[in-house]
Amino acid sequence: MGQKVAFTTLGCKLNFSETSGIAHQFEEAGYTRVEIDEGADVFVINTCTVTELANKKSRQAIKKLIKGNPSAKIVAVGCYSQLKPDEVAAIEGIDLVLGSENKFEVINQLQQIEAEGKTRVIVSDAGKEKTFTPSYSYGDRTRSFLKVQDGCDYYCSYCTIPYARGRSRNNSIVQTVAKAREVVEKGIKEIILTGVNIGDFGKASDENFFGLVKALAEVEGLERLRISSIEPNLLTDEILEFVAQSKVIVPHFHIPLQCGTDNLLRLMRRRYTTSLYKKRVEKIKSLMPDACIAADVIVGVPGETADEFEKACSFIDSIDISYLHVFTYSERENTMAVKMPNQVPLNERKSRSKIMHALGEKKQRIFQEQHLNSSRQVLFELQEMGGQMFGFTDNYIKVEIPYNKELVNTTANVLLETVTDDGNVLGKLNI
Ligand code: SF4
């Protein structure tokens, strides 16, 4: 048995797909992948820096592993390492710090450390990242996150991601389809497209996102393709009309709104207005009435007066969206927003977050209840909890039924019956 390696991932779907990519490299190099609490020779942490809290959690995860595994090699890769390499390198016991461009070089760099016997820190110039390393998650989930794009050129006022992940870049459609085929060959039924600004796909290859989804929908054996998060200004009519007629691409759209008034969208340098957002929602619902539309919302951005917040809530309440992901604004160094006037006090941000969460729950409940007493295809996952198993419908409703091993990683027709207290839908198999 080769050396043992274990991984922990913080943050987004993209990070999970990249951790799987790095793990794959270790397995190919003869390492054995083990769980984080089983003890290993090497530990890799894929860090996140989207908020100050994410930085703190990354530091805590690193320190915990160093304390629990004094003789192991501890490696921190990813966005926090890229933005704050000195802070990470200053943690006593860390062996290797790799930024966004270098996170797939862990094994080579570990060999260097063996030779030099001291901490190595390698990060690229922020914004200068050029390479695109494809990756996808598998083995630990029924569905796979396929990385199709990295980086972002938008520089929204509150966001550090362009500084942590660099400029927008991608592989060609042909190369991306080849990766999707690899995923399907591993028995995965559903691919979820992931990246930072996936709608911007194609900039580096003179292609576009519409071309990509058309090509991926042709991948033999692929049962489901889920677009996941895409900017409203990049979700074009032709993409929506194509999804509406597709048997493979599921009717689920995650469209970041962030702010619910045009004044705040302008301040945050978002590239659309509330009217464009509303038109996207109406277009989707006119083509696919059962479609699920999720929105990211940030509360408490600079300039969000009580009146603006109220307007934002009534705008969100007025549009037919299915659930919200609510974030509380967090100051990020080097962003435009941190220097803006009219910063919202933290306790006020917290109380607005509660209000927005409640609005999100109301929206989700309405969406779930609209689909009760109807049948939908559910892709069942590995997990068993309390004698139940879980899966998602095509339009992203989480369903639970009594556990049946035969159904793992298969799609089955399920009658949606009732909404459970913990927000899932109880289903009954349609035999
Ligand atoms: S689109 Fe804006 S919020 Fe999203 S990653 Fe790019 S800069 Fe950040």
Side-chain angles (χ1 to χ4, degrees), residues 333-376:
E333 239 175 79
N334 306 325
T335 60
M336 283 167 252
V338 81
K339 305 179 198 82
M340 283 181 182
N342 305 322
Q343 298 282 334
V344 179
L346 206 53
N347 58 353
E348 183 54 32
R349 290 182 218 172
K350 286 195 175 133
S351 67
R352 289 178 189 174
S353 171
K354 279 206 186 84
I355 295 166
M356 197 58 87
H357 270 101
L359 179 54
E361 277 148 29
K362 182 183 107 179
K363 287 280 183 188
Q364 183 173 31
R365 190 74 189 218
I366 292 168
F367 181 68
Q368 289 170 319
E369 286 175 355
Q370 277 166 356
H371 291 88
L372 295 184
N373 305 317
S374 73
S375 294
R376 300 202 76 93

Side-chain angles (χ1 to χ4, degrees), residues 152-156 158-159 161-162 196-197 231 258 270:
C152 186
D153 300 342
Y154 275 23
Y155 292 91
C156 301
Y158 52 83
C159 185
I161 299 173
V196 175
N197 193 347
E231 294 294 311
Q258 309 303 25
R270 300 291 290 161

